[in-house]
Amino acid sequence: MKALKRVIALFAITFAGLAFIKQQKPTIYLIGDSTTHNNDKETWGWGSTIPYYFDLSKVNIENHAMAGRSTRTFIKEGRWNKVDSVLKPGDYVMMVFGHNEGSKPDTTKAGYRGVLKGTGNETVELTWPNGTKETVHTYGWYFRKFIRDTKAKGAIPIVLSMIPRNEFRDGKVIRANNDYGKWAQEVAQQEGAIFIDMNRITADKYDKWGADSVKKFFPGDHTHTNKVGATVNAESVVDGIKADPKNPLSKYLKTNY
């Protein structure tokens, strides 16, 4: 009986130790829109394929991105608070937005998720039909909040530029380097956050492959990719990690990639 109790105690200690190790692993939290997290049927987000490239015995990955969200609505709907509340020192937040920000911010259905353009401190005050007040900020302001909140928890913010759409002009894919991609990079630099130019890395691939090949990645529209297209973008993120010697995520990548 004593021997059996010792075996049971040993198993209990072992399992407790494994649980502690799992708990202590850092977590990479992904926040964004449908290009990061989709239904994983006809259309996929890159956040669903990127775990294939990481050693998950060393790091956890949680995809909290949600279709249709902008920087503004991700905060307004409490989705950022949910992530922020569980951040611990040594965690990471990979953030990418830009596809849903373009409408004029107002109290119409179309304006529900729009933000002000740029990275400044401009605001617009809205009053919703129920009397609720809302202050809407610039795209850059919302990114600063994500970055600063992340740092305040001892976690590491990593800013990404949005994936390019399937839109070509004069044989070249249209890039985000004059608007949302540019603004994301500017805020990352101003706030001392790591930046991965997924837009540029993927756009370089698209230009090389050509419009006829690229359209195979987009089954329904010019924004949402199939699994192959999502994998292209996930690999662009990994390429960006590996190209930056200052990016700490490189130590979690599988050695065979």
Side-chain angles (χ1 to χ4, degrees):
M1 182 62 70
K2 291 183 178 179
L4 178 59
K5 289 182 177 179
R6 283 197 295 270
V7 170
I8 293 173
L10 181 60
F11 271 111
I13 293 170
T14 300
F15 282 120
L18 290 173
F20 178 79
I21 291 170
K22 181 178 180 181
Q23 185 180 14
Q24 292 305 304
K25 281 195 304 185
T27 298
I28 302 171
Y29 293 93
L30 310 181
I31 64 172
D33 54 37
S34 58
T35 62
T36 302
H37 192 186
N38 216 309
N39 59 25
D40 293 352
K41 295 177 181 177
E42 184 180 28
T43 51
W44 288 64
W46 65 267
S48 295
T49 58
I50 201 165
Y52 304 154
Y53 303 93
F54 281 86
D55 183 346
L56 299 181
S57 69
K58 297 179 180 178
V59 67
N60 302 312
I61 299 178
E62 292 192 14
N63 193 348
H64 287 258
M66 180 60 64
R69 271 59 188 183
S70 64
T71 46
R72 171 188 166 198
T73 55
F74 199 85
I75 292 173
K76 182 164 63 172
E77 294 175 0
R79 299 179 187 280
W80 172 239
N81 282 342
K82 182 178 179 181
V83 174
D84 184 44
S85 67
V86 295
L87 284 178
K88 64 182 185 297
D91 284 342
Y92 302 84
V93 179
M94 300 182 77
M95 53 193 77
V96 53
F97 291 89
H99 283 281
N100 298 313
E101 269 76 5
S103 61
K104 178 184 176 181
D106 56 31
T107 57
T108 66
K109 182 178 180 180
Y112 174 78
R113 57 189 186 181
V115 304
L116 297 176
K117 299 182 185 300
T119 62
N121 292 316
E122 302 88 350
T123 61
V124 61
E125 301 296 326
L126 302 180
T127 301
W128 289 87
N130 65 0
T132 301
K133 304 286 186 180
E134 182 187 4
T135 301
V136 180
H137 302 270
T138 64
Y139 178 76
W141 185 94
Y142 291 107
F143 261 103
R144 284 193 185 91
K145 177 173 175 57
F146 293 139
I147 292 169
R148 292 176 182 180
D149 287 355
T150 299
K151 286 186 173 183
K153 290 295 183 68
I156 300 169
I158 300 177
V159 178
L160 288 76
S161 55
M162 57 189 270
I163 73 167
R165 296 184 175 97
N166 180 27
E167 295 180 317
F168 282 76
R169 182 182 298 145
D170 299 325
K172 299 292 184 181
V173 72
I174 298 175
R175 303 180 182 228
N177 55 357
N178 289 318
D179 44 47
Y180 296 101
K182 173 187 175 184
W183 300 329
Q185 184 173 18
E186 286 176 353
V187 173
Q189 291 173 340
Q190 292 165 5
E191 296 294 321
I194 297 166
F195 178 70
I196 298 174
D197 199 349
M198 178 167 56
N199 186 270
R200 176 190 60 77
I201 298 170
T202 295
D204 286 347
K205 297 173 184 178
Y206 285 1
D207 285 350
K208 181 180 178 180
W209 296 335
D212 288 342
S213 295
V214 170
K215 68 181 181 182
K216 299 174 184 177
F217 303 149
F218 295 85
D221 56 37
H222 62 21
T223 302
H224 301 98
T225 61
N226 56 23
K227 188 175 182 179
V228 176
T231 301
V232 169
N233 288 302
E235 290 182 351
S236 293
V237 174
V238 175
D239 292 341
I241 293 171
K242 294 177 69 176
D244 183 0
K246 295 181 180 179
N247 194 314
L249 293 183
S250 59
K251 63 177 173 286
Y252 304 117
L253 293 174
K254 290 179 179 176
T255 57
N256 60 347
Y257 179 77

